[in-house]
């Protein structure tokens, strides 16, 4: 039996999709132990409702005005205090931009270890252990954590969960003791146009490379991405050429993604690009060079001109997904 | 002001990784500066240039070869290397590494520290946040814009979905750097010559008082069972008329792969 605390990120008043995955997996690993969901924010509204159905036996709500924006010092303090109070064996969070930043700082405060960005979790010789990719995905290793509790951040979309046993989902509040001044003030949030899906959490991605030839041409993906509910990614060559924003870069010096479906269009498949997407469940590539290395890593490949194939694909998706 | 940079030496991205027991074979590995750390070095040098004063310290914990990476940063314009090379550090996890680096930063009384976003060997993305926690300083991650205003710095950081946060951070603080922040300069030939004579300070675990936190025995996190990733089953290149290929692809995605 293992007591597991699951940090669930809240966005726009709702827990993020990763909560389902993490709570479901936690329920399985707990093997009769308690599964507790932990929520942090300044106004959580009714985000804590319904977590029982996802497997949470209880829910800890930590609401404080200092937690309105992600402020690393304040969040790590609140997080570590709630963990200490709950005293679990294992703490899980999603390896999102926020989770990857928060867990190591909170773990340091508790003087415990954190295994980051694991793609699997299992019962090992010494409690729960994980699997992670290292050297940009060129090797895998088992990661063991000897401290109590053990912290893990989990790469989004690592687990498929269905049919989880519900918990009570009883909600309780926890009052953190926070400094008023953390020396970190968010003064503005600049958004660039419409809301886009965050690559690292996306379940489907369609990505383009240098071959797109211009920023305007990236628009060729818009309709297909909309139909698929996909995020749009890019190779570094496309980013360096100014065709796509830095935040869209997939790869070793960009983002590491883990979708169910990755469609690479006009991307050669350099090792540094593969480093960011090789764990995708299904990889489709569209490239006019039959010798392009990306084909060796693809589930399905089409040898052809992306400017011809992508519009055809968009039409076919429209027809098929309409049914 | 002393401006600190955390710099790690890592295998070149083109290196073919060979697994050997609970580690990798290091024989033919070419070692480089962690690519993200170059942005940190550049940010530190630019800050010194702007202030017209200060000392850029390159902190690196690692085996003796780590001095080569630090020398490259000195050739770019760093002033002094602070090397943490001691058998006691062998096998340290991110926690121990951060404890030692935080102690060295305290000892040198740095007023600001720049680091890479993550080290591309173990991809941990843990050391800078832990260093900041131990120093009780604020930290801001993955910054893409940096402006120094005296007691504070204003930074920009992407927060997902294309949004960018503007944050005012009180110094001293730790900043982790990424692509888009700056274009790291190349080391010039005179720079490389000068770097050979720049000072190097060495600290042992005892000097830093971190003997109980570092080394494999004190590690909270350890890696074992290294293996190569499973090969992907041979993929299928579709054939025929392009329109038919697209139809077949969508059918396969729905019926075979079940991802639509
Ligand atoms: C330290 C370091 C870090 C790096 N980090 C990253 C990273 O994070 N992410 C990353 O992506 N790269 C990274 N790179 C760069 C990487 O090595 C490659 O240069 C890059 O991925 C190539 O991008 P590309 O495939 O778009 O371009 P190219 O290699 O130029 O390939 C273009 C491909 O498009 C095909 N093509 C051209 N026209 C068409 C068309 N009309 N229809 C269909 N196919 C077409 C071509 O056949 C070719 O295969 C890094 C490199 C280094 C050294
Ligand atoms: N051994 C080390 N010596 C100096 N700096 C390090 C070391 N390990 C990590 N860092 C710094 O911390 C950043 C993130 O590393 P990591 O947390 O290991 O992914 C790196 O980009 C470096 O700036």
């Amino acid at each position: 039996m293992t007591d597991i605390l699951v940090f669930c990120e809240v966005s726009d008043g709702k827990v993020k999709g990763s909560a389902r995955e993490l709570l479901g997996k936690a329920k399985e690993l707990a093997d009769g132990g308690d599964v507790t969901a932990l929520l942090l924010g300044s106004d959580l509204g009714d985000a804590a409702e319904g977590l029982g159905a996802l497997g949470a036996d209880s829910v800890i709500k930590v609401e404080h005005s200092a937690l309105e924006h992600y402020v690393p010092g304040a969040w790590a303090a609140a997080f570590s205090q709630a963990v200490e109070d709950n005293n679990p064996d294992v703490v899980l969070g999603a390896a999102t931009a926020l989770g990857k930043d928060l867990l190591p700082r909170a773990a340091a405060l508790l003087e415990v270890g954190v295994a980051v960005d694991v793609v699997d979790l299992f019962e090992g010789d010494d409690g729960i252990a994980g699997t992670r990719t290292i050297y940009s995905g060129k090797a895998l290793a088992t990661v063991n954590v000897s401290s109590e509790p053990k912290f893990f951040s989990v790469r989004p979309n690592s687990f498929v969960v269905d049919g989880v046993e519900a918990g009570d989902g009883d909600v309780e509040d926890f009052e953190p003791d926070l400094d008023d001044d953390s020396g970190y003030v968010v003064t503005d949030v600049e958004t660039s146009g419409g809301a886009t899906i965050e690559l690292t959490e996306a379940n489907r991605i369609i990505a383009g490379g240098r071959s797109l030839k211009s920023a305007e041409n990236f628009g060729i993906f818009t309709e297909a991405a909309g139909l698929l509910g996909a995020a749009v990614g890019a190779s570094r060559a496309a980013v360096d050429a100014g065709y796509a924003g830095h935040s869209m870069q997939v790869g070793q010096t960009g983002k590491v993604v883990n979708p169910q479906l990755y469609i690479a269009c006009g991307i050669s498949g350099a090792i540094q690009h593969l480093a960011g997407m090789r764990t995708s469940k299904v990889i489709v590539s569209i490239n006019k060079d039959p010798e392009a290395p990306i084909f060796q890593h693809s589930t399905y490949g089409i040898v052809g001109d992306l400017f011809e194939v992508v519009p055809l694909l968009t039409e076919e998706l429209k027809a098929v997904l309409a049914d | 002001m002393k401006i600190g940079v955390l710099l790690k030496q890592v295998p070149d991205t083109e290196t073919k990784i060979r697994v050997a027991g609970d580690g990798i074979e290091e024989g033919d590995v070419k070692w480089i500066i962690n690519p993200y750390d170059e942005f940190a070095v550049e940010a530190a040098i630019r800050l010194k240039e702007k202030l017209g004063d200060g000392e850029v310290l390159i902190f690196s914990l690692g085996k003796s070869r780590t001095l080569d990476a630090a020398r490259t940063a000195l050739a770019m314009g760093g002033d002094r290397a602070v090397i943490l090379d001691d058998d006691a550090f062998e096998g340290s996890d991110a926690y121990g590494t951060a404890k030692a680096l935080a102690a060295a930063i305290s000892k040198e009384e740095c007023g600001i520290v720049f680091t890479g976003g993550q080290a591309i060997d173990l991809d941990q993305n843990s050391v800078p946040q832990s260093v900041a926690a131990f120093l009780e300083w604020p930290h801001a991650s993955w910054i893409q814009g940096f402006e120094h205003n005296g007691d504070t710095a204003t930074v920009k950081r992407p927060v997902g979905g294309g949004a960018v946060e503007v944050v005012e951070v009180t110094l001293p603080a730790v900043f982790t750097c990424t692509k888009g922040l700056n274009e790291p300069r190349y080391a010039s030939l005179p720079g490389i010559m000068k770097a050979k004579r720049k000072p190097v300070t060495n600290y042992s675990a005892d000097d830093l008082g971190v003997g109980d936190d570092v080394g494999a025995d004190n590690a909270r996190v350890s890696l074992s069972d290294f293996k190569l990733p499973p090969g992907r089953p041979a993929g299928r290149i579709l054939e025929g008329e392009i329109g038919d290929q697209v139809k077949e692809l969508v059918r396969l995605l729905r019926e075979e792969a079940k991802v639509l």
Side-chain angles (χ1 to χ4, degrees):
Chain A
M1 276 204 325
T2 308
D3 291 339
I4 305 183
L5 185 76
V6 178
F7 169 56
C8 302
E9 278 179 52
V10 175
S11 148
D12 296 329
K14 286 201 279 293
V15 295
K16 285 195 174 181
S18 52
R20 170 182 298 276
E21 179 185 1
L22 293 181
L23 287 168
K25 186 67 186 177
K27 194 75 174 181
E28 178 193 317
L29 290 168
D31 194 22
D34 287 332
V35 173
T36 308
L38 171 65
L39 273 50
L40 267 62
S42 60
D43 176 9
L44 293 167
D46 50 16
E49 303 299 320
L51 293 182
L54 301 184
D57 297 307
S58 54
V59 183
I60 303 174
K61 268 170 82 175
V62 185
E63 280 182 320
H64 194 287
S65 57
L67 305 176
E68 183 186 351
H69 292 284
Y70 173 60
V71 172
W75 279 59
F79 191 101
S80 61
Q81 289 167 20
V83 169
E84 205 159 29
D85 187 64
N86 179 259
N87 195 25
D89 302 308
V90 168
V91 175
L92 302 182
T96 56
L98 190 156
K100 278 198 212 172
D101 196 57
L102 171 62
L103 266 63
R105 183 154 187 154
L109 294 176
L110 294 169
E111 309 205 323
V112 302
V114 51
V116 299
D117 210 17
V118 299
V119 294
D120 195 12
L121 287 166
F122 54 90
E123 183 69 45
D125 296 337
D126 181 27
I128 306 294
T131 304
R132 52 179 313 242
T133 65
I134 48 177
Y135 299 101
S136 308
K138 285 186 256 182
L140 291 173
T142 296
V143 56
N144 314 285
V145 186
S146 61
S147 59
E148 280 185 26
K150 306 174 195 295
F151 276 44
F152 295 91
S153 65
V154 181
R155 187 176 295 177
N157 303 326
S158 291
F159 304 115
V160 177
V161 170
D162 42 20
V164 60
E165 181 197 334
D168 290 341
D170 293 336
V171 181
E172 54 188 286
D173 290 303
F174 177 80
E175 193 73 42
D177 178 15
L178 300 178
D179 280 344
D180 290 333
D181 181 14
S182 56
Y184 184 108
V185 182
V186 178
T187 55
D188 196 12
V189 182
E190 299 169 354
T191 45
S192 55
T196 49
I197 300 168
E198 171 57 22
L199 274 175
T200 51
E201 296 166 42
N203 225 335
R204 294 170 184 166
I205 292 171
I206 182 160
R210 192 197 321 259
S211 51
L212 266 290
K213 294 209 173 70
S214 74
E216 293 73 53
N217 283 344
F218 260 82
I220 195 172
F221 299 131
T222 310
E223 198 176 355
L227 290 164
L228 290 167
V232 178
S235 73
R236 168 157 158 188
V239 171
D240 286 351
Y243 308 158
H246 287 305
S247 64
M248 290 164 69
Q249 184 177 320
V250 172
Q252 182 160 342
T253 42
K255 290 180 174 160
V256 176
V257 301
N258 190 28
Q260 294 282 324
L261 173 63
Y262 189 92
I263 307 179
C265 306
I267 291 178
S268 59
I271 183 105
Q272 296 90 354
H273 189 80
L274 292 169
M277 42 67 78
R278 67 195 308 160
T279 61
S280 306
K281 304 285 175 310
V282 173
I283 298 173
V284 172
S285 23
I286 299 165
N287 196 302
K288 65 181 184 192
D289 174 8
E291 303 293 322
I294 190 83
F295 284 123
Q296 287 161 27
H297 302 270
S298 304
T299 327
Y300 308 116
I302 291 184
V303 178
D305 188 332
L306 74 95
F307 293 104
E308 184 187 354
V309 177
V310 173
L312 287 171
L313 178 64
T314 309
E315 288 312 310
E316 181 65 12
L317 287 171
K318 228 191 281 180
V320 169
L321 297 178
D323 301 347
Chain B
M1 177 167 68
K2 288 189 188 174
I3 304 167
V5 174
L6 298 187
L7 182 135
K8 189 174 190 188
Q9 194 188 38
V10 297
D12 188 354
T13 57
E14 301 283 351
T15 305
K16 187 156 168 49
I17 296 296
R18 285 196 193 79
V19 168
D22 278 347
I24 61 157
E25 241 173 66
E26 297 196 350
D28 44 3
V29 169
K30 184 179 159 220
W31 297 92
I32 59 165
I33 296 183
N34 181 41
Y36 290 109
D37 300 357
E38 294 181 1
F39 302 114
V41 176
E42 181 65 33
I45 298 170
R46 285 192 193 183
L47 177 58
K48 177 185 162 180
E49 286 169 351
K50 182 183 170 223
L51 298 175
D53 177 36
E55 186 186 10
V56 173
L57 299 186
I58 311 295
F59 292 87
S60 193
L61 182 152
K63 297 183 183 163
S64 55
R65 58 175 154 68
T66 200
L67 184 57
D68 299 340
R71 287 262 187 231
T72 308
L74 295 180
M76 286 169 72
D79 295 304
R80 174 155 63 96
V82 179
I83 303 295
L84 280 56
D85 170 21
D86 180 339
D87 289 344
F89 295 134
E90 190 80 19
S92 296
D93 61 358
Y95 180 92
T97 302
K99 271 273 177 183
L101 290 167
I105 291 164
S106 290
K107 208 175 173 77
E108 291 287 350
E109 299 180 344
C110 291
I112 189 168
V113 169
F114 294 99
T115 80
Q118 74 186 41
I120 61 160
D121 49 0
L122 300 184
D123 297 321
Q124 298 207 89
N125 190 353
S126 294
V127 169
Q129 300 94 314
S130 308
V131 166
F134 296 140
L135 294 170
E136 298 180 30
W137 292 2
H139 81 264
S141 294
W142 301 102
I143 60 164
Q144 294 188 338
F146 177 88
E147 212 175 308
H148 184 262
N149 338 303
D151 296 339
T152 64
T154 305
V155 301
K156 291 191 174 188
R157 52 184 302 268
V159 289
V164 174
E165 250 176 26
V166 183
V167 188
E168 176 130 344
V169 186
T170 306
L171 303 179
V174 173
F175 297 96
T176 91
C177 305
T178 185
K179 200 169 134 65
L181 178 62
N182 55 40
E183 275 305 324
R185 67 194 69 190
Y186 288 100
S188 64
L189 198 55
I192 294 169
M193 298 312 291
K194 266 210 251 161
K196 293 185 179 148
R197 294 187 304 274
K198 286 187 175 169
V200 178
T201 305
N202 286 286
Y203 289 129
S204 67
D206 278 348
D207 295 336
L208 299 171
V210 294
D212 292 338
D213 298 303
V214 297
D217 289 347
N218 295 308
R220 288 143 175 82
V221 178
S222 62
L223 296 173
S224 60
D225 304 308
F226 281 54
K227 50 179 182 272
L228 296 177
R232 291 186 87 90
R236 177 138 32 126
I237 304 283
L238 305 180
E239 282 169 5
E241 190 78 53
I242 239 9
D244 295 339
Q245 286 192 35
V246 170
K247 281 198 165 58
E248 176 66 358
L249 172 67
V250 172
R251 189 192 69 77
L252 288 166
L253 291 175
R254 294 192 96 184
E255 294 171 16
E256 189 178 83
K258 299 197 166 56
V259 289
L260 283 188

